[in-house]
Amino acid sequence: MAGRFRFRLEVVQRLRQVARDQQRRALAEAIAAVQTSENYVDDLNRSLRDSLMHASTQRQGESLDLSALRAEQRHRAWLHEQLHLAGERVVQSRAELQRQRELLAEATKNLRVIEKLRERRWRRHREEVQREEQAVDDEAAASVVLRRVQWESRSRS
């Protein structure tokens, strides 16, 4: 008798689901890191643009303050340096995002393999149960026919 369906790899399936869920969280963190890096670059670009606009409006004034001009140049140089570093962080975070996407695809594929195996085994189990039920039905039908034949043969005698 086939009995109750048991999938012996349920633990593996649960572990792979956990791995996939963890990978989804890691991907979400990588997406957030890219967004944060890109927002920081945007903020630096805005600051640099504001600094340049401020410098151009200062030049239109009557007198130039050399110390303020030097401070503004140092600030712009620092902004350029920060932009360069932030650009590198964006590139790194995008590379990490791509790596996390690939890991999620692999984890999803690994889980799908187990799910397909479970489905195949479930179908086999169901077919076996149906065969057993059919055998029982056939046996019962044969028994009924045999009893009828026996009864008819007794009634003729």
Side-chain angles (χ1 to χ4, degrees), residues 35-140:
Q35 289 173 341
T36 300
S37 298
E38 289 174 346
N39 289 342
Y40 184 62
V41 167
D42 291 343
D43 291 345
L44 288 172
N45 277 325
R46 229 178 277 107
S47 294
L48 184 60
R49 197 173 37 251
D50 292 347
S51 176
L52 290 171
M53 287 179 63
H54 182 267
S56 68
T57 57
Q58 248 187 348
R59 286 186 200 136
Q60 293 172 358
E62 297 169 10
S63 64
L64 285 175
D65 182 5
L66 290 179
S67 63
L69 187 60
R70 283 190 198 124
E72 192 68 32
Q73 287 174 339
R74 281 192 302 275
H75 180 66
R76 279 195 300 276
W78 178 82
L79 285 173
H80 280 289
E81 181 183 334
Q82 293 303 307
L83 268 170
H84 176 72
L85 295 173
E88 288 176 354
R89 279 194 299 271
V90 166
V91 169
Q92 290 170 351
S93 60
R94 285 182 181 164
E96 177 64 16
L97 175 62
Q98 183 59 35
R99 189 176 79 78
Q100 292 299 332
R101 281 186 176 138
E102 290 167 0
L103 289 172
L104 176 59
E106 183 68 23
T108 302
K109 181 179 122 186
N110 289 339
L111 176 59
R112 187 67 190 132
V113 167
I114 291 290
E115 288 173 343
K116 282 184 177 183
L117 181 61
R118 185 180 197 286
E119 289 170 13
R120 266 187 258 138
R121 289 199 179 154
W122 168 248
R123 259 184 296 192
R124 262 191 266 147
H125 172 77
R126 211 175 54 224
E127 289 168 0
E128 186 178 324
V129 167
Q130 288 172 347
R131 275 193 303 274
E132 288 177 1
E133 288 173 352
Q134 186 63 46
V136 167
D137 290 346
D138 291 347
E139 187 177 319

